[in-house]
């Protein structure tokens, strides 16, 4: 079986047995596809590792296509493996990031991975820490923009060029 869902943004409660009872009959051969903004590979802190392990222990295999809210630098540290006809980053034994541009074969059906998106939450721009004279200048600008309620992200921290398709 193949199940498809949208953005999780690292909130995996939808995969609890109460919310997703079908998993009681599933095996690791069954696939759950998350269509972007997985968010489970963001900070590599203990809480995030807990949730990745929790998801990995589920009866199914989780795969995801990257969205515009992923830590691409961290994603690229995971090993690349052959997976169902394409290439994927293996995050855990049964969690895979489907790399862009590959076709994957699940249950006799072909799925094309085309991740990324143009961010809607950067109306006021992207701060590049390297464009500032020093850390103090960057910090002042960051705080000013934040207090002013601007919608921006920070290059290499909350925004990566890789998120663009």
């Amino acid at each position: 079986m193949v199940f498809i869902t949208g953005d999780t943004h690292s909130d995996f409660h939808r995969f609890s047995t109460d919310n997703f009872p079908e998993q009681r009959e599933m095996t690791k051969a069954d696939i759950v596809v998350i269509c972007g903004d997985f968010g489970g590979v963001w900070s590599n802190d203990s809480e995030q590792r807990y949730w990745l392990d929790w998801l990995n222990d589920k009866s199914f295999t989780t795969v995801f296509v990257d969205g515009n809210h992923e830590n691409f630098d961290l994603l690229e540290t995971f090993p690349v493996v052959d997976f169902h006809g394409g290439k994927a980053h293996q995050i855990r034994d049964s969690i895979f990031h489907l790399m862009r541009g590959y076709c994957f074969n699940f249950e006799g059906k072909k799925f094309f991975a085309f991740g990324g998106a143009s961010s809607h939450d950067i109306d006021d721009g992207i701060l590049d820490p390297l464009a500032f004279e020093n850390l103090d200048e960057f910090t002042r600008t960051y705080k000013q923009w934040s207090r002013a309620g601007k919608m921006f992200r920070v290059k290499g921290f909350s925004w990566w060029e890789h998120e663009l398709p």
Side-chain angles (χ1 to χ4, degrees):
M1 288 187 285
V2 177
F3 289 82
I4 300 174
T5 188
D7 307 8
T8 52
H9 291 275
S10 74
D11 179 1
F12 303 118
H13 290 97
R14 72 180 71 178
F15 302 119
S16 72
T17 309
D18 288 342
N19 292 331
F20 186 36
E22 293 86 352
Q23 68 187 284
R24 290 184 179 106
E25 306 300 320
M26 295 171 73
T27 70
K28 290 294 186 181
D30 297 310
I31 304 288
V32 172
V33 180
I34 300 170
C35 295
D37 292 352
F38 174 67
V41 178
W42 187 264
S43 60
N44 198 27
D45 61 19
S46 60
E47 181 179 4
Q48 193 161 80
R49 287 190 301 273
Y50 166 84
W51 284 108
L52 286 172
D53 292 341
W54 179 87
L55 191 57
N56 191 59
D57 288 342
K58 292 293 183 180
S59 60
F60 51 85
T61 296
T62 303
V63 304
F64 67 96
V65 177
D66 55 80
N68 61 318
H69 293 114
E70 312 291 354
N71 181 335
F72 289 91
D73 292 341
L74 189 53
L75 265 179
E76 291 176 8
T77 67
F78 289 92
V80 175
V81 297
D82 292 322
F83 183 73
H84 288 263
K87 298 282 185 187
H89 289 112
Q90 186 168 10
I91 311 303
R92 293 286 190 277
D93 289 340
S94 61
I95 302 174
F96 296 87
H97 165 238
L98 305 179
M99 296 174 67
R100 293 181 194 173
Y102 290 96
C103 283
F104 297 87
N105 188 339
F106 303 133
E107 299 288 322
K109 304 248 187 296
K110 295 221 183 246
F111 293 80
F112 177 66
F114 187 82
S118 180
S119 292
H120 59 86
D121 52 0
I122 58 170
D123 290 347
D124 295 307
I126 299 164
L127 284 177
D128 183 353
L130 299 178
F132 291 86
E133 297 268 334
N134 55 50
L135 184 58
D136 289 339
E137 182 187 0
F138 167 76
T139 302
R140 275 193 306 278
T141 303
Y142 181 87
K143 286 179 180 178
Q144 270 181 330
W145 281 27
S146 294
R147 281 193 297 270
K150 293 188 177 256
M151 289 185 68
F152 66 96
R153 307 232 325 263
V154 178
K155 185 175 183 180
F157 177 73
S158 61
W159 184 88
W160 289 264
E161 291 178 24
H162 296 9
E163 70 185 42
L164 298 172

